[in-house]
Structures are given as structure tokens and as C-alpha cells.
Amino acid sequence: MSDRRTLAGNHFFALSILLVCMTSTVSAGAQRMVIDEHVNPRWIDEDQLEFSRTENGEATRLRIDRETGMISRLNGETQGVRRAPGRRVTGSTTRGGEVPIIFKNGTTQTISLMWVDSNGTEIPYGELGAGKRRRMGTYDGHAWRILGENGGTLTAFIAEPGRPSAVIDERSMAEWKASRVWQEKDDLDESSRTKPRASVTTRDGDLWIERPAAEPVRLTEDARPGSRWRQNVVFSPDGRHFLAWKVDAPQRHPVHLLEIMPEDRVEPVLETIQYLKPGDRIAHPHPAVFEVETGRRIDLDAELAPNPWSINRISWHPTESKVRMLYNQRGHQVLRLLEIDAVSGESRVLIDETSDTFIDYAGKDFLHVMRDGDRAIWMTERSGWNHLEMVDLRSGERTPLTSGEWVVRAVDEVDEAAGTLRIRALGLDADQDPYHVHHAMIDLDTGALTRLTEGDGTHELEFAPDGRHYIDRWSRVDLPPVHELRRTRDGSLVAVLAEADHGPLLDSGWREPIRFKAKGRDGITDIWGVIITPRDFDPEERYPVVEHIYAGPHDHFVPKKFNRNSRMRDVAALGMVVVQIDGMGTNWRSKAFHDVAWKNLGDSGFPDRIAWMKAAADTRPWMDLDHVGIYGGSAGGQSAMRALLAHGDFYDAAVADCGCHDNRMDKIWWNELWMGWPVGEHYAEQSNVTNAHRLEGDLLLILGGMDRNVDPASTLQVVEALV
């Protein structure tokens, strides 16, 4: 154990962090400040936009002419305005984070809820009886079509923040028909859409087909216990073929949770959940195409998909009997777009993506098959940076749409009619933080990039319903929000709507985070982080340093947007300097930066983190690196303990909350993606359990006995090893 002395002793130091982790208080005063974080836009016709901002301490409602940028005070005249007409859409886009939506069936019939993907393909999400309601998790920009009992569209909705209810009634159906904001794929109306010529059911795990005016026919006879056909088939556009799956069930892996103090009894309750872990046998799908008229079966060539982690993203060619599917191979080093030709019976590879390390299917996966069915937009890191290509699905030719030493963070919209796609990008500006989110339009023919954002910060866009203008809200951790009105056609600025003033917040004692970058372990790569100081900070004093760590390879974690409150501030309020850093192995830089995590989660970027803190302290003598603590939860809990096992000469104390201390004990998808498959010796070599004897410093472990995310036994095994 370390004999170093902290400000009040390492045990008290660790306990203080524990108390912070278990509370959610915010600094007094800061939470009451009004700094124009939102302008509450209301898009109306005649090129007008209403919005609000605070002037001289009072909220004021204003109107701006979207073309000229002239701003005028409303004086209460808000009646009689009409919303601008919406753009027509055919499917889902991804505009932002998760939003809930509550479907309310106000009709007298049973309705079907259909999620519509970016290609316009309808994915069923069950039925909703008359008068019933259902809460669904979806995402901002995702499209939902509501079908009646006859299969026709009743209405449609686009999920968006602040619109929690989707009511299906006479009014919503009438408004939808009048506006026609939604259009059928390929501009076909309901009457001209081809309906499937049959329906498919399952009996005892086998497929049966029911055709009009004919007896049901059995299609398969190979179902057995643990290997059954699924009823959710996907028909071709002409209704002559469908794709179905036989699925071999995964193994059972029970994890037992003990609820020590249930609410309804004195005795503990044992709960058992299904929880696959690395190396377990997973579900194995076997896709096959069937011809409706004859029952002819065409299996996918197993040599093209020998060991599937998943087979999904199904789409049929619009005019040919060819079905495509995305094959993700277990081990996540092979990703393929496959095709079955229902006429010739042949299977082939349309796109073949491979990696010597991992393919980040969880974060860098984008596939959009164009309406012609012969081209696709594909996301790839083949160049060493995450970019987009246009792939000719007939020849296999791949043409870059984006390129350079920056990354595509996400695709928000593909507008085939306009020949553009809208992206979020990181690292576009060499003089800015490479994690700042910027937005741009890409020309699908030329690859030309049109910037939609400029300011030195991270940006969020809110488009007018007609799509011609948008509000760009951007900020940094040390700069409160700026709201700009811009033109979609070229990103040009119309006017600044509001600039937040956080002077009163600073006057209250709130301190801006300090942005800092330093070279990483290689002496070349910039590592970025923030420093949080106490409200009563005195540069003449010395403060112990506490690192808040989360090093999961699925994202980056240092805050980039303005935020008045955070739990790091609660820790700083205890008389400490708090830092957060994105070291190598985290996401959204180059492929080489990310690959440091490959089969190496124990690294956690510590060489970069330690170098960063030493560089920061070189010019900040108030950072006391003789007294350094660290805390984190889940994967951050794993890293926090790892700090004392591998770097006990630098870190003195750690608080590890609900850590996945041994990657063999944690959920299968996350760990196999980064640590690889099959499970090898490197899993044990990086385990906090097998390395527990290397502990230096003071460690506080926290676990939740009913944790369904990380098996709580992972922490208990650490305890046993320490004992």
C-alpha cells in the first residue's frame, strides 16, 4: 500500500469521492442563472422566424426575416401565423439522440406500427388495439408509418424532441393527407403499391405459406429444438419472393442476482437473467429466399457467411429479384454486404470490408442503398480515417465521397433528389479541438463539401420545416451558447439571434473549465482534456488532483459543450482539481489512435493521461501530482482500479464503481468487439482479478447487487482475490 500522504489522508480522500459519486447536488446559485441556452424557435411562413432571447434580464419575443436578417420586436402579435410547409420525406434520418414517443390509438381499429429505415423499408413493431397506447424508444429524425387493418397508411410521424405523443385519430389522419409531408417511396401512392401475394406463418418451427384461395403449404421440414424458422419475413417489391431466417438459438448463460432487501418481503429474492459473455455460443441465423408461387428455396452460400455475429439491414433491389443483407462476422474483422439472386440462385459479395484489428460496427456503421438499387453509400476506415464511399454494387468500384485527416461522425440525411448528403464531422479545422462537431453537405456526384458551421465550438442544428434555413447552436466548455440563423444552400450566415452572457454566472463564483492539450506517449499526437478547479480556487495553494476516467473505445468522453453543472464540479468542491482526458484507444480520431485499444483495454490510455497531467502541472504549480486520485464507473471502474495495478507509482487512491474488472465476465458484444474473439490469454493478462496482487495505493470498490449491465460478481471476484 502507498505510504504517501494526501490532503487529509488517502482513506478520507477515497471516501470523499465515494460520497460525491452517490449524490447529484449542484453548486448553489449556478443552477438559477438564465443565459439564453435556448431561443425557442417557431418557424412560420412568409420567410419569418419567431424566437426569444433575454435582453436586460427579461425574456423578449422577436421576429426575424429569414432572407434579409432584419430583426423586430413582436409586441405580442403572434396570432394568425401558419407553420412553414415541411419537406417531403421517405424514411428515417438521424438528427440527434434518443427520444421517447407514445403512440395513442384514437381510432376504432387495430393499427400496425411500422418503423421506416433510411432506405424506406418498413420494419414492423407490433400492433396497437383501439384506444390503447404504447411508449416506444426511438431517435430524433426517425420515421414511423401507421397502417390500418387493410394495410393502407393512416398517418405518419417523424420523432423529434418535445413531441412525446403521436396520436392516431381523425384529425392527425386528415392533417397528414392534407400536408402530404410524407411521400411513399419512389412517389408511389397506396393504390399502386404491389402487395405480397401470400402470407407466411410458422408451425412447430417450420414455415408455411398461405396463398389466396388455396390450402396452406409447408415450405420447410428442417426445424428442430433450438433451430427454428422465424415468421418475420421480408417480401420483395413485386411480392414474388421473400427472405426468411432459420435461427439456431444461443446457449443459455444464467447470471444470478440476489435482491437482499425486496420491498414486498423480508427474505432475499434470487433473480436469474440470460447474459451472454465472451466466448459463449451465440445465435446463428441461416437466411434463405423462397419463391412464393413454387416454394423454391435458395439458401445463402454459407462460405460467404461462415460465422455470423449478425445478418441484418435487409433490402431488395427495386426492380430485380435480388436481396441484400449486411453480414458482420464474429470477431468483427469482416463486414460484408451480401446478395442472393432469387432467379439464378447465386450468392455474391457486393462490398467486402476487412481489418487487422476491429471494424467498429457499433459506432462507424453506415449503409444507404440508393433507390436505383445499384449503388450504395458505405462507411469505411480503409484510409486510416472514418469516411464515406459511393460503391457501384454491380462492379464493386468504390469512389471516395469524403477524404482527409478528419472523420465523419455521422450521416444525418441523404437527399437523393437533391444529390446531397448531410454529415457531422470531427477534426475539420486544424486550429480547433478535433472533437468539435461540425456539419457539412456533400455533393454525391463530385464529393464537394459545403460547410454549414464555422464557429470554434461544437455545433447542433435545428432545421426549418421547409429545410431552407437552420439554427446553428454552438458552444464550448468555456463559451456559452451562440445561436445563428443560416442558409442551407451554402451555409451562409443570415444573422446572430442570441449570444449567451455568462458574466453573472462567473460573478457567482462559477469557474470556467480549462481546456488543455499536450503530447501523448509518442511525443507527436495531441491529447485533449479539461481541468476543473474549485469555486474558491487560490493559485497560491496546492491541490490534490483527481482524474475522472472513462476510457471505453466506443466514444470520446471529455465534455465539449457548455454545461453549468457536472459531477466533476462536486468533486472539485471538496478542495481538489479534477481532470478528464481522452487518451489513445478512445474513439473518433484516426484508426491508429483507436487501435491502441485492440486486445488491450487494460492500457486505458494511461501513458497519455500521465504525460498530459505532467505537462499541465509544469505550468500550473497548484496541481499537486504527489497526490493523485482517480474514479470511474463500469469500464471506468475497471480503469480506475487498473491505475493502481499498473501505475501505482503515479496514482495514490482509486474509487471503482461497478467495474467490469475481468472482460471475460462482462457482456459479450462490448468485450468481443474490442478484446477480440476467440477468447485468448490476453483476457486473463489484463484482468484486475489476476493482477490484484499488484495493487498499490488505496482502493474503494462499489457495486450494485442488482446490476444488469455489469455482472456484480466481477467486483466480488476482485474482493476475493484481494483477500
Side-chain angles (χ1 to χ4, degrees):
M1 304 289 282
S2 171
D3 58 1
R4 296 183 186 178
R5 179 181 55 84
T6 63
L7 192 65
N10 274 347
H11 285 94
F12 175 75
F13 183 33
L15 181 59
S16 298
I17 300 176
L18 166 63
L19 293 174
V20 169
C21 290
M22 297 178 65
T23 60
S24 58
T25 57
V26 293
S27 303
Q31 65 185 119
R32 295 192 298 271
M33 293 296 171
V34 178
I35 55 171
D36 273 345
E37 290 194 61
H38 302 281
V39 294
N40 300 315
R42 186 183 184 201
W43 303 93
I44 54 179
D45 63 354
E46 298 176 358
D47 295 320
Q48 304 295 303
L49 164 67
E50 291 181 6
F51 67 100
S52 62
R53 71 182 179 206
T54 301
E55 297 178 349
N56 300 320
E58 294 185 1
T60 302
R61 197 72 182 165
L62 303 168
R63 180 176 292 176
I64 181 171
D65 186 294
R66 289 196 263 161
E67 291 301 320
T68 67
M70 295 295 295
I71 298 176
S72 58
R73 197 177 300 271
L74 269 181
N75 298 321
E77 49 178 271
T78 60
Q79 302 299 318
V81 297
R82 295 182 290 117
R83 288 184 61 87
R87 287 180 296 174
R88 305 184 108 194
V89 295
T90 58
S92 292
T93 61
T94 303
R95 299 188 302 217
E98 187 172 359
V99 296
I101 186 169
I102 301 175
F103 291 103
K104 301 178 181 178
N105 185 359
T107 73
T108 58
Q109 61 179 304
T110 297
I111 60 176
S112 297
L113 307 179
M114 311 293 288
W115 175 64
V116 186
D117 68 14
S118 59
N119 295 320
T121 302
E122 297 175 358
I123 311 298
Y125 269 75
E127 296 180 338
L128 192 62
K132 302 293 185 180
R133 65 176 61 194
R134 180 181 302 164
R135 180 185 178 91
M136 303 285 290
T138 187
Y139 290 86
D140 182 16
H142 277 203
W144 292 84
R145 193 193 303 274
I146 312 302
L147 306 184
E149 292 178 337
N150 64 356
T153 300
L154 299 179
T155 185
F157 299 93
I158 302 294
E160 58 186 356
R163 187 186 183 187
S165 296
V167 180
I168 301 92
D169 58 12
E170 293 297 332
R171 177 179 177 181
S172 65
M173 290 187 285
E175 289 178 349
W176 172 73
K177 290 179 180 178
S179 65
R180 299 303 292 178
V181 168
W182 186 288
Q183 66 180 2
E184 304 295 345
K185 190 174 183 181
D186 296 328
D187 291 322
L188 298 177
D189 59 28
E190 286 294 324
S191 61
S192 62
R193 300 178 77 199
T194 302
K195 303 298 181 184
R197 301 179 179 182
S199 61
V200 177
T201 60
T202 57
R203 301 181 190 178
D204 299 322
D206 275 310
L207 289 177
W208 289 70
I209 190 165
E210 298 178 356
R211 304 182 185 88
E215 290 294 320
V217 176
R218 185 173 184 170
L219 292 178
T220 65
E221 297 182 356
D222 55 351
R224 64 183 188 276
S227 182
R228 304 169 67 87
W229 289 89
R230 291 185 174 174
Q231 187 171 332
N232 55 327
V233 303
V234 181
F235 278 90
S236 61
D238 60 12
R240 295 178 179 177
H241 299 87
F242 65 86
L243 180 72
W245 294 262
K246 186 178 71 169
V247 179
D248 300 339
Q251 74 175 72
R252 294 293 301 169
H253 191 139
V255 166
H256 307 292
L257 307 175
L258 188 63
E259 187 175 4
I260 302 297
M261 297 181 64
E263 295 181 356
D264 59 345
R265 57 187 287 182
V266 175
E267 286 292 316
V269 175
L270 178 67
E271 181 177 339
T272 301
I273 61 174
Q274 166 74 344
Y275 188 105
L276 294 183
K277 297 184 179 183
D280 284 349
R281 188 185 74 250
I282 63 175
H284 188 130
H286 303 272
V289 169
F290 291 84
E291 189 173 43
V292 171
E293 195 67 31
T294 66
R296 174 178 174 237
R297 171 176 167 178
I298 308 161
D299 290 291
L300 175 69
D301 185 346
E303 291 186 1
L304 304 183
N307 188 15
W309 169 265
S310 63
I311 298 178
N312 52 27
R313 308 290 288 277
I314 309 302
S315 66
W316 283 88
H317 192 285
T319 60
E320 301 176 29
S321 296
K322 298 176 180 180
V323 64
R324 286 77 179 265
M325 62 204 74
L326 188 65
Y327 165 72
N328 181 0
Q329 186 159 294
R330 191 169 189 182
H332 309 301
Q333 294 177 285
V334 176
L335 191 67
R336 292 173 177 159
L337 183 64
L338 303 177
E339 177 182 85
I340 301 175
D341 188 321
V343 176
S344 69
E346 295 180 353
S347 303
R348 70 185 186 110
V349 178
L350 302 181
I351 304 176
D352 197 1
E353 192 82 14
T354 61
S355 174
D356 293 334
T357 56
F358 54 77
I359 296 173
D360 180 11
Y361 76 94
K364 302 186 177 98
D365 168 27
F366 183 79
L367 167 65
H368 175 87
V369 178
M370 304 292 280
R371 288 189 188 178
D372 59 22
D374 298 326
R375 297 171 298 151
I377 302 171
W378 178 259
M379 186 172 281
T380 177
E381 289 189 281
R382 290 196 306 157
S383 67
W385 302 81
N386 194 49
H387 282 295
L388 298 168
E389 297 176 337
M390 181 68 79
V391 183
D392 186 315
L393 299 181
R394 294 186 181 273
S395 68
E397 181 181 0
R398 299 167 70 159
T399 304
L401 290 173
T402 63
S403 61
E405 294 188 354
W406 54 276
V407 300
V408 175
R409 180 64 174 84
V411 178
D412 288 329
E413 183 180 39
V414 178
D415 189 336
E416 294 190 37
T420 62
L421 58 85
R422 179 163 51 87
I423 65 169
R424 278 172 276 166
L426 304 181
L428 279 176
D429 300 289
D431 59 343
Q432 289 190 27
D433 184 326
Y435 298 98
H436 282 167
V437 177
H438 282 277
H439 298 252
M441 301 289 288
I442 306 296
D443 188 289
L444 291 176
D445 292 328
T446 66
L449 183 149
T450 301
R451 293 281 299 263
L452 298 180
T453 55
E454 296 176 340
D456 184 5
T458 198
H459 296 251
E460 300 173 355
L461 305 188
E462 181 174 348
F463 281 83
D466 61 16
R468 293 189 297 113
H469 294 83
Y470 58 93
I471 293 174
D472 175 13
R473 176 180 183 264
W474 61 276
S475 69
R476 293 192 308 267
V477 291
D478 56 355
L479 177 73
V482 176
H483 307 265
E484 299 172 342
L485 180 64
R486 291 180 172 270
R487 299 179 182 90
T488 304
R489 66 173 180 266
D490 57 8
S492 60
L493 178 68
V494 177
V496 176
L497 303 180
E499 295 180 276
D501 177 11
H502 68 319
L505 190 61
L506 295 171
D507 293 342
S508 75
W510 186 89
R511 295 182 56 80
E512 289 180 347
I514 300 169
R515 297 189 299 143
F516 182 70
K517 68 176 180 179
K519 299 302 179 183
R521 68 187 77 182
D522 59 2
I524 301 173
T525 306
D526 284 335
I527 304 297
W528 291 75
V530 295
I531 303 170
I532 307 294
T533 53
R535 289 174 65 89
D536 57 356
F537 174 75
D538 183 348
E540 301 302 318
E541 296 288 335
R542 282 176 63 78
Y543 297 87
V545 177
V546 179
E547 180 181 359
H548 175 209
I549 189 169
Y550 195 96
H554 56 281
D555 210 342
H556 67 87
F557 305 98
V558 174
K560 300 300 172 185
K561 296 189 295 185
F562 187 83
N563 184 8
R564 291 172 289 171
N565 306 310
S566 75
R567 291 191 174 184
M568 285 191 289
R569 292 189 178 277
D570 298 333
V571 179
L574 298 173
M576 306 174 195
V577 167
V578 183
V579 300
Q580 189 172 12
I581 308 153
D582 282 318
M584 291 186 186
T586 53
N587 210 340
W588 300 113
R589 299 283 292 276
S590 68
K591 176 65 172 166
F593 189 102
H594 200 190
D595 278 350
V596 171
W598 171 238
K599 295 186 176 182
N600 191 32
L601 290 181
D603 179 275
S604 294
F606 280 121
D608 312 303
R609 298 168 187 279
I610 293 170
W612 185 96
M613 281 184 267
K614 288 180 177 178
D618 282 345
T619 55
R620 296 169 178 82
W622 36 266
M623 292 178 65
D624 182 2
L625 295 190
D626 288 332
H627 305 106
V628 181
I630 187 169
Y631 73 99
S634 192
Q638 177 184 22
S639 297
M641 181 176 176
R642 182 74 176 184
L644 299 186
L645 302 182
H647 303 280
D649 57 338
F650 183 80
Y651 293 94
D652 299 289
V655 176
D657 172 27
C658 299
C660 42
H661 295 286
D662 188 315
N663 297 105
R664 296 168 295 184
M665 286 288 291
D666 193 33
K667 65 191 74 66
I668 186 172
W669 80 266
W670 198 85
N671 295 276
E672 285 196 6
L673 175 52
W674 315 117
M675 291 291 283
W677 178 88
V679 174
E681 294 181 355
H682 60 287
Y683 274 80
E685 290 168 356
Q686 296 179 57
S687 164
N688 288 350
V689 179
T690 57
N691 288 284
H693 61 282
R694 300 174 58 190
L695 181 70
E696 295 183 59
D698 288 346
L699 171 67
L700 181 61
L701 296 168
I702 307 170
L703 76 155
M706 298 299 292
D707 189 347
R708 292 168 175 79
N709 181 45
V710 176
D711 186 345
S714 186
T715 297
L716 295 175
Q717 289 181 355
V718 168
V719 173
E720 182 66 18
L722 291 172
V723 171

